[in-house]
Amino acid sequence: MATPPPTDRRQFLGLLPLPERRFITDALRTETVGGVLLLVAAVVALVWANVWPHSYETVSEFTVGPSGPLHLDLPLEAWAQDGLLTIFFFVAGIELKREFVAGELRTPSAALLPVVAAVCGVALPAALYALINSGAGGHPGGWAIPTATDIAFALGVLAVVGSHLPSALRAFLLTLAVVDDLIAILIIAVFYSSGIKFWALGLSLAGLVLFWFLNRRGVHGWYLYLPLAFAIWALMHESGVHATVAGVAMGLLLRCHTEGDEEQSPGEHIEHLVRPVSAGLAVPLFALFAAGVSISGPALREVFTQAVPLGIVIGLLVGKTVGIFGGTWLAARFTRAELNPRLKWADLFAVSTVAGIGFTVSLLISELAFPDDPALADKAKAAVLVGSLLCALVATVLLKLRNRHYRQLCEDEDRDSDGDGIPDVYQQVR
């Protein structure tokens, strides 16, 4: 019998390199805990806003901070939105930089599928929202609300219903979310920044140059970087460009490759320190001040009968799922990538549904899209909550159907018969 010709098709969702697998495991462990805290904070916000609405509004609107030339006398809600989320986007910037130098995005062939998936997962929800809001009474300005994936919320759901999801699927979800975060911050910077003050922007950029220079020269000391980072953030906030852009920029400027005898790059070291603050404090506190919307029978009916909330729900549930899955399938179909034989396309569809959970950034864009219409912003937030909940429920059903298979895959990946700390699957002769 003739020997089949060799193939150079690259396997998609195959076994991760061991160092990458360990990094992903550590990162996702922190994000999973943060995701659970995020869910708790969202529930607390909903109860607080609906049982004691006056108290919730009073605390949210309580103003703290110096007035001065940078106008930092802000309500607590604004501090959470512009300040705490900057920490979240700082970690996202480091993640993105690391993906470019050491992760899935370091080579064009490996980066193609998650990048195409993320782009399609942004484009289709935006298109569906715009289509639903194209008629009279629609508000097309909210097109970006259903485009974002919330990795912390998604991992919180996986912690409850998909704890045995194979590491390759988790890594794909994380890489997808990193690219998604980059697209989100570009959307915020381009479409939701206004009244640019170039003097403040110029000084903020000068601060970023100094930040990069000190990092490249190997200068250490939190007492130096923290005041500099705050100054960069405050100037970016005053410039009219959304302040979270400063966080992403600083994250991207950190060096994320090792030099000499370093065990960790500066970026990885700082990410290890800051990620728990982001996942365990910054994002849950943001959710506490952003997720407090009125939930009632009429309000829920409006989610499915008015153009803005309906566009958001359809964008998250249908647009994100179909966009991510369809983009990935097409990219794999027209490249040399073939799916890991131990997985099925149904597994990727389930993960695509998980990626439809849009919370943190979607709530942020809800505020930015309708700054002069708080009532409409609250409807958009309610739609984000409903759409994310529907995605979580659908994903739960899909993942439970394959949970026994996932459990077996994880046991095979983790088995270490000789107890040397290296799973057997990495010691097999290939």
Side-chain angles (χ1 to χ4, degrees):
M1 184 172 64
T3 302
T7 177
D8 58 349
R9 290 172 65 85
R10 184 178 63 84
Q11 189 177 92
F12 172 49
L13 296 179
L15 186 67
L16 297 174
L18 185 57
E20 181 72 8
R21 183 174 185 267
R22 286 172 172 166
F23 175 84
I24 292 292
T25 300
D26 291 340
L28 294 183
R29 185 180 296 114
T30 302
E31 291 289 358
T32 299
V33 174
V36 174
L37 293 175
L38 176 62
L39 294 174
V40 172
V43 171
V44 170
L46 287 171
V47 172
W48 187 3
N50 284 273
V51 178
W52 303 285
H54 179 70
S55 169
Y56 184 82
E57 291 175 4
T58 301
V59 173
S60 297
E61 295 170 2
F62 183 76
T63 299
V64 294
S67 53
L70 297 181
H71 307 99
L72 295 180
D73 48 336
L74 304 172
L76 290 179
E77 182 180 14
W79 277 109
Q81 175 181 305
D82 295 347
L84 293 177
L85 275 197
T86 300
I87 302 174
F88 167 80
F89 277 111
F90 174 67
V91 174
I94 300 176
E95 289 176 338
L96 183 64
K97 180 70 171 288
R98 187 195 168 278
E99 288 289 338
F100 276 124
V101 301
E104 285 293 301
L105 303 180
R106 68 186 182 278
T107 59
S109 59
L112 181 63
L113 268 68
V115 169
V116 170
V119 171
C120 293
V122 168
L124 187 56
L128 290 175
Y129 177 94
L131 179 64
I132 294 172
N133 283 267
S134 60
H139 296 269
W143 61 271
I145 297 172
T147 62
T149 292
D150 191 305
I151 186 63
F153 203 151
L155 291 174
V157 172
L158 290 180
V160 177
V161 301
S163 57
H164 294 96
L165 196 68
S167 58
L169 285 171
R170 291 177 180 268
F172 176 78
L173 180 61
L174 180 60
T175 304
L176 173 75
V178 168
V179 180
D180 192 278
D181 284 339
L182 174 63
I183 298 173
I185 201 64
L186 289 174
I187 289 173
I188 291 170
V190 174
F191 295 98
Y192 296 105
S193 297
S194 59
I196 305 299
K197 297 179 181 178
F198 288 99
W199 68 268
L201 180 59
L203 289 175
S204 183
L205 294 177
L208 287 170
V209 171
L210 178 59
F211 183 92
W212 172 83
F213 177 78
L214 293 174
N215 181 250
R216 291 304 299 173
R217 297 290 294 181
V219 177
H220 301 288
W222 62 267
Y223 49 84
L224 180 63
Y225 284 100
L226 277 183
L228 177 59
F230 183 79
I232 293 169
W233 171 84
L235 288 163
M236 189 71 73
H237 180 272
E238 178 64 14
S239 74
V241 176
H242 199 270
T244 52
V245 174
V248 173
M250 286 185 280
L252 288 172
L253 291 176
L254 290 174
R255 177 167 60 83
C256 289
H257 62 275
T258 57
E259 294 180 353
D261 58 354
E262 290 179 335
E263 293 185 2
Q264 272 189 324
S265 67
E268 291 172 317
H269 175 67
I270 293 173
E271 180 186 15
H272 180 74
L273 295 175
V274 178
R275 184 188 289 276
V277 178
S278 170
L281 180 66
V283 173
L285 280 178
F286 166 77
L288 182 65
F289 287 106
V293 295
S294 176
I295 300 297
S296 62
L300 289 176
R301 283 196 296 272
E302 289 176 350
V303 168
F304 298 99
T305 57
Q306 295 189 4
V308 168
L310 181 61
I312 293 169
V313 172
I314 297 298
L316 290 173
L317 182 60
V318 179
K320 293 293 286 186
T321 302
V322 176
I324 291 170
F325 177 79
T328 308
W329 186 87
L330 288 173
R333 174 69 176 80
F334 291 103
T335 64
R336 294 185 176 276
E338 61 181 6
L339 185 67
N340 181 347
R342 300 196 69 181
L343 295 173
K344 298 181 181 297
W345 283 106
D347 300 318
L348 188 69
F349 187 84
V351 170
S352 301
T353 307
V354 174
I357 298 173
F359 192 79
T360 305
V361 179
S362 292
L363 292 176
L364 171 63
I365 298 178
S366 297
E367 293 276 3
L368 300 178
F370 309 114
D372 301 321
D373 194 339
L376 189 57
D378 282 348
K379 292 179 183 178
K381 290 180 181 180
V384 169
L385 297 176
V386 171
S388 298
L389 178 61
L390 290 175
C391 287
L393 292 175
V394 173
T396 297
V397 174
L398 296 177
L399 291 172
K400 285 297 184 182
L401 291 175
R402 294 273 287 167
N403 192 56
R404 181 178 299 178
H405 181 66
Y406 295 152
R407 186 189 299 271
Q408 183 61 53
L409 288 179
C410 287
E411 289 176 355
D412 293 344
E413 284 187 7
D414 294 336
R415 186 175 295 112
D416 182 14
S417 302
D418 54 9
D420 63 353
I422 301 176
D424 298 343
V425 69
Y426 289 96
Q427 298 175 313
Q428 297 172 356
V429 178
R430 295 178 179 276

